[in-house]
Amino acid sequence: MYLLYLLLATMCNMYFVALQVASPASFLGTIFGFSIIWFWLGMLFIVLFFMRRFALWNYVKKQVKICLGCIVSVLAVISVVNLIFICNPRMAIGNEPVKYIILLGGGITKDAKLTDNVEQRVKKCAEYAEKHPEALIVVSGGKGPFSPCPESDVLKPALAKYGIEEERILAEDKAKDTIQNFEYSVKLLSKKTGKTVLQILSEPVAVVTSDFHLARAQRLAKRMGFKDVYGVSSKTPALFLVNTYCREICCYVKLNLRILFTGKPSLIDDSEVLD
């Protein structure tokens, strides 16, 4: 049994290293990013290896073992339930009567370039926009703490490179998270079209993001008042699947708790308009 813990520890740490090599980040980015969990999980398995190898586990009280077993079991059930929802968003098939397309940002590099993940979103957005030439497009993404500029400043020309007319593309440059992506995008569309926020919310919209993020994005959109939301997703590279979906489970659980205890996010306020 103790050899299994050693194997798991090796796998976790190798996965952590592979993630850093495939997606280089600063030291602080690694320490505070989700991927650090694989390093600490590897350390946990090493501790368990030594406890089993030298029979230290026998000194742990039975009540503690039962408690730990219950915690792990509950976390496993919660993860599986949330993963089912995450893996089953409402997908667009291509012939939907959408009036608007919202491309959600996912971060840019310190050199103001798109990451591979976001580049795939842009490509998917362009493919879908070509099938819906009448739809207005909003590229949404503000300036992060370490970003040289708002992400929308990079997204708009990137999308135009695929042949999408710039006149169709609206740049939303204030959002800091997915909730603000939707809130500011709706108000920008309202200002552009002359329609009310409620009218925009009642019309069909397509949301473009990564596959792991789509279900949460759609749930947020519904909570904020969108009536008819279709999903268009880009695929996550195989190496990042475990890391991104584990992180998304945590984010989805966090969203559920937020809704349960605060009732937020709520409907978009129609009284506020963009400057």
Side-chain angles (χ1 to χ4, degrees):
M1 183 66 177
Y2 63 87
L3 292 178
L4 176 61
Y5 289 129
L6 182 60
L7 176 63
L8 291 173
T10 302
M11 291 175 63
C12 286
N13 282 293
M14 288 180 65
Y15 187 53
F16 171 73
V17 172
L19 289 174
Q20 307 317 307
V21 172
S23 182
S26 65
F27 177 73
L28 288 178
T30 299
I31 294 300
F32 295 105
F34 183 83
S35 62
I36 193 66
I37 193 173
W38 302 108
F39 171 80
W40 291 113
L41 191 59
M43 294 300 101
L44 173 62
F45 284 127
I46 288 176
V47 171
L48 291 175
F49 164 73
F50 282 108
M51 291 185 71
R52 285 289 190 178
R53 178 67 178 80
F54 300 104
L56 299 177
W57 183 252
N58 296 332
Y59 295 97
V60 178
K61 292 184 178 180
K62 182 178 180 181
Q63 293 85 344
V64 175
K65 295 179 181 178
I66 294 175
C67 184
L68 290 174
C70 290
I71 292 173
V72 171
S73 299
V74 170
L75 290 177
V77 171
I78 291 174
S79 297
V80 170
V81 171
N82 281 275
L83 186 60
I84 291 173
F85 286 102
I86 291 169
C87 293
N88 290 280
R90 183 192 187 192
M91 300 298 299
I93 59 176
N95 59 355
E96 302 79 17
V98 298
K99 297 293 184 67
Y100 315 108
I101 301 171
I102 300 177
L103 170 60
L104 303 181
I108 56 177
T109 69
K110 61 182 180 180
D111 300 322
K113 296 181 179 179
L114 297 178
T115 62
D116 292 340
N117 178 43
V118 180
E119 182 63 48
Q120 290 302 312
R121 296 187 190 184
V122 172
K123 183 178 180 181
K124 279 293 181 180
C125 183
E127 292 173 355
Y128 191 78
E130 288 179 352
K131 298 177 182 178
H132 298 80
E134 302 300 320
L136 279 176
I137 307 164
V138 180
V139 293
S140 179
K143 186 179 183 301
F146 304 108
S147 302
C149 65
E151 185 176 1
S152 60
D153 289 355
V154 184
L155 288 172
K156 183 172 181 177
L159 187 57
K161 286 182 180 179
Y162 284 96
I164 305 302
E165 301 87 349
E166 290 196 25
E167 295 75 19
R168 294 178 59 194
I169 308 172
L170 307 180
E172 185 289 299
D173 61 0
K174 294 181 175 62
K176 305 296 184 182
D177 55 31
T178 306
I179 293 175
Q180 291 184 354
N181 283 146
F182 288 128
E183 180 181 4
Y184 295 151
S185 293
V186 167
K187 292 175 180 178
L188 187 61
L189 286 168
S190 176
K191 184 177 180 180
K192 175 69 175 179
T193 62
K195 298 179 181 179
T196 67
V197 166
L198 292 179
Q199 286 176 317
I200 298 294
L201 291 173
S202 67
E203 296 179 312
V205 60
V207 176
V208 183
T209 186
S210 300
D211 48 10
F212 63 87
H213 182 232
L214 185 54
R216 180 161 55 99
Q218 286 183 323
R219 186 170 186 196
L220 285 169
K222 287 286 188 179
R223 290 281 307 179
M224 298 175 74
F226 286 90
K227 303 300 183 184
D228 198 8
V229 186
Y230 297 92
V232 180
S233 66
S234 60
K235 289 187 177 181
T236 300
L239 176 63
F240 297 94
L241 281 174
V242 176
N243 186 66
T244 53
Y245 275 90
C246 285
R247 181 181 62 192
E248 188 61 21
I249 288 172
C250 295
C251 292
Y252 207 82
V253 171
K254 180 182 176 181
L255 173 60
N256 289 332
L257 293 174
R258 179 176 182 176
I259 293 173
L260 178 64
F261 290 109
T262 71
K264 296 182 178 180
S266 53
L267 295 177
I268 296 175
D269 186 359
D270 196 8
S271 64
E272 299 180 7
V273 295
L274 292 176
D275 297 330

